[in-house]
Amino acid sequence: MKNLYTLSIMLLSIVQLSIAQDEAGFTPPEGSTFNEDSSIVTLPAAQVSSLYSEVITFFATDIIEIEGVDLELTFVSATITGVTSTDGLDYDCNVEGCAFLPNAQGEVTLAGIPNTEGTYELAITVDVSISVASIPFSLSLPYTGDNFILNSVIGTDYDALNSFIPTFVLNVEPAISVGLEEMNSLSEVSVYPNPAS
């Protein structure tokens, strides 16, 4: 019975892993919260003057599907060129140059010691290489419509393309204060035992 239970858990884990790896996009760290359509993700909170380190996972399939677009967009690569957050935090990737290839999982780590409390929107910029009907294109996300050939394929609704990167929000809370009781004078200090003469 124990072996059957263990086998069931292993199969369930394999199925969940395969489902997770087939879904393109960013997966935020555990403890994140989402709005109704998952377009805004609030990361676990940070504290002023305390070490913060959280990992956002990225996965992209080789075909990009955009709602309302009949042509297949073939994903070639994506390079994260910037993550703007707050003073004291920086980003790093687990792949060289933050360049992600299709059907490969990557990680972006946001780490450091934040200096200022507040709510910050993380601006992630990405250079993406795609191919439309064997014609290569390069674009930057968020996309602002600067490629007229690509616009003829996707139309004027850039939100569908930009929705690949959700809006990440980070709340930096005040530092936790530790209370210390001050002594009035040294007369309150006693050294015991004191064998010295």
Side-chain angles (χ1 to χ4, degrees), residues 26-115:
F26 288 88
T27 304
E30 188 177 328
S32 299
T33 57
F34 309 83
N35 67 340
E36 289 179 8
D37 63 357
S38 297
S39 62
I40 300 175
V41 179
T42 303
L43 298 172
Q47 289 182 340
V48 171
S49 301
S50 295
L51 182 63
Y52 184 82
S53 181
E54 293 291 346
V55 177
I56 302 169
T57 304
F58 176 80
F59 181 79
T61 56
D62 53 354
I63 301 297
I64 299 174
E65 295 179 10
I66 298 178
E67 190 175 322
V69 176
D70 294 332
L71 290 175
E72 277 191 352
L73 302 178
T74 303
F75 173 72
V76 178
S77 68
T79 302
I80 295 179
T81 56
V83 179
T84 304
S85 57
T86 179
D87 290 342
L89 294 182
D90 203 359
Y91 75 98
D92 191 24
C93 303
N94 71 326
V95 293
E96 189 175 336
C98 286
F100 297 97
L101 299 174
N103 300 317
Q105 189 170 344
E107 295 177 352
V108 180
T109 302
L110 183 66
I113 300 175
N115 301 323

